[in-house]
Amino acid sequence: LRGYEFIKTSKSDKGALLIELNRPKALNALCTPLIIELNQALKEAETDSSIGATVITGSEKAFAAGADIKEMKDLSFSDAYGKDFIENWSEQVYNVKKPIIAAVNGFALGGGCELAMMADVLYVGEKAKFGQPEIKLGVIPGAGGSQRLARAIGKAKAMEICLTGDMFSAQQAYDWGLAAKIFPPEQLVSEAVKTAEKIASYSKIAVKAVKEVINEGYNLGLDQGIKYERRVFHSLFGSHDQKEGMSAFAEKREPKWKDE
Ligand code: CAA
């Protein structure tokens, strides 16, 4: 993998890509060059057949303290609207087909909280702090924060968080169902990598289908979602890996996936 300035990447031999946001002096504020590098790394993961899932993490102090306030403070309306500020990065992360796990230690604020919520699985370290403090800057969340938070934890809590700018804790994120698991800070990243490796050990075609049906279904009514799931389930009977997975079970052996 190539060298980057604002992120560090490493690949495990079991198919996990680890992306560490690495702009410590600015608490990993998401400046444009950082976002370009993050998208580049995710794009490379997408085409690298040896990678099954990606973990995005920051440091123990900060996952990311938000969009870069100093960079955006002088933007005009026509800069923001004309260039569709934030859409260009947030949609790219969200549209990645391979699973992404966000492993959050420290601050995940504003765009940092939004990036964490764009991930497919959120793991948190016990000292993580989340929030949407944009209200304090005279703006509102712009990378899906108000929408994803309301869907994940309910309108009342999301409204309070976005209106007050108050932070919420890792324990709250876990109790409210935003985070899938909570760990001591020093175990967080290795546990996230372990999960990514487990995902990477399965058929990539089935993994892709799981991510697709859950995300599609999230925007549909229950009946439509169930129908969509069933159609994709049916389609997997056309795959090699369905035959292999079920034959291996019947023959009491490990499956050998071809990802097709
Ligand atoms: N953008 C740019 N720089 C940032 C930053 C941000 N979001 N967050 C922190 N930094 C910088 C600080 O300016 C400071 O730089 P200098 O040393 O050059 O002054 C450095 O990181 C360290 O920060 P602090 O000295 O403030 O550290 P702290 O430990 O005292 O406080 C903090 C930590 C509570 C996270 C505080 O830095 C903070 O409140 N940051 C801003 C959080 C925020 O408002 N985020 C939302 C951004 S808007 C957004 O994200 C829009 C969107 O929806 C996409």
Side-chain angles (χ1 to χ4, degrees):
L1 291 163
R2 59 158 76 215
Y4 291 104
E5 189 181 348
F6 295 110
I7 62 173
K8 287 196 265 185
T9 58
S10 53
K11 221 161 99 171
S12 82
D13 53 11
K14 291 184 183 152
L17 173 69
L18 176 64
I19 301 177
E20 293 168 81
L21 308 181
N22 183 35
R23 204 189 162 207
K25 284 190 186 137
L27 303 182
N28 292 333
L30 303 166
C31 60
T32 302
L34 185 156
I35 290 297
I36 289 172
E37 290 187 1
L38 175 62
N39 279 323
Q40 184 63 35
L42 289 170
K43 212 161 130 195
E44 283 177 26
E46 207 74 332
T47 52
D48 182 339
S49 61
S50 70
I51 292 173
T54 300
V55 174
I56 301 177
T57 194
S59 66
E60 288 224 353
K61 169 129 205 224
F63 176 73
D68 191 315
I69 299 166
K70 293 166 193 169
E71 189 186 271
M72 71 184 151
K73 73 180 176 39
D74 296 324
L75 277 187
S76 67
F77 168 76
S78 65
D79 290 334
Y81 181 70
K83 294 182 185 144
D84 221 340
F85 177 53
I86 293 191
E87 190 269 351
N88 58 357
W89 66 265
S90 62
E91 295 304 313
Q92 281 187 52
V93 173
Y94 181 64
N95 285 325
V96 165
K97 304 283 190 291
K98 290 182 182 174
I100 299 175
I101 301 172
V104 174
N105 270 324
F107 295 112
L109 302 176
C113 184
E114 293 170 308
L115 176 62
M117 292 193 290
M118 271 173 227
D120 302 300
V121 179
L122 175 55
Y123 280 3
V124 295
E126 282 156 356
K127 292 186 187 144
K129 291 234 172 258
F130 294 84
Q132 298 289 162
E134 290 87 348
I135 192 77
K136 298 182 188 175
L137 301 169
V139 289
I140 66 168
S146 63
Q147 307 304 302
R148 290 201 173 94
L149 208 52
R151 280 169 177 71
I153 67 173
K155 179 180 155 184
K157 288 195 282 285
M159 192 69 92
E160 191 206 29
I161 286 160
C162 294
L163 285 175
T164 61
D166 288 348
M167 294 189 206
F168 58 99
S169 67
Q171 190 62 48
Q172 286 172 313
Y174 177 69
D175 291 344
W176 296 340
L178 187 65
K181 286 198 174 125
I182 181 164
F183 295 100
E186 64 283 0
Q187 288 173 21
L188 173 73
V189 176
S190 62
E191 291 294 336
V193 168
K194 254 192 248 168
T195 298
E197 288 176 339
K198 182 181 274 188
I199 294 167
S201 76
Y202 299 126
S203 164
K204 288 191 179 55
I205 203 154
V207 165
K208 180 175 174 176
V210 169
K211 174 162 172 167
E212 182 180 330
V213 297
I214 293 184
N215 281 341
E216 282 294 321
Y218 215 60
N219 295 322
L220 298 173
L222 183 61
D223 286 350
Q224 293 165 300
I226 287 169
K227 264 187 210 144
Y228 188 76
E229 179 202 63
R230 188 155 318 128
R231 291 295 169 249
V232 175
F233 170 70
H234 292 159
S235 73
L236 291 175
F237 285 85
S239 72
H240 165 275
D241 286 348
Q242 172 272 326
K243 297 285 171 292
E244 171 62 11
M246 294 191 182
S247 305
F249 175 82
E251 293 160 18
K252 300 187 190 297
R253 61 173 176 84
E254 288 298 310
K256 287 198 184 69
W257 308 121
K258 278 195 181 171
D259 303 324
E260 56 190 50

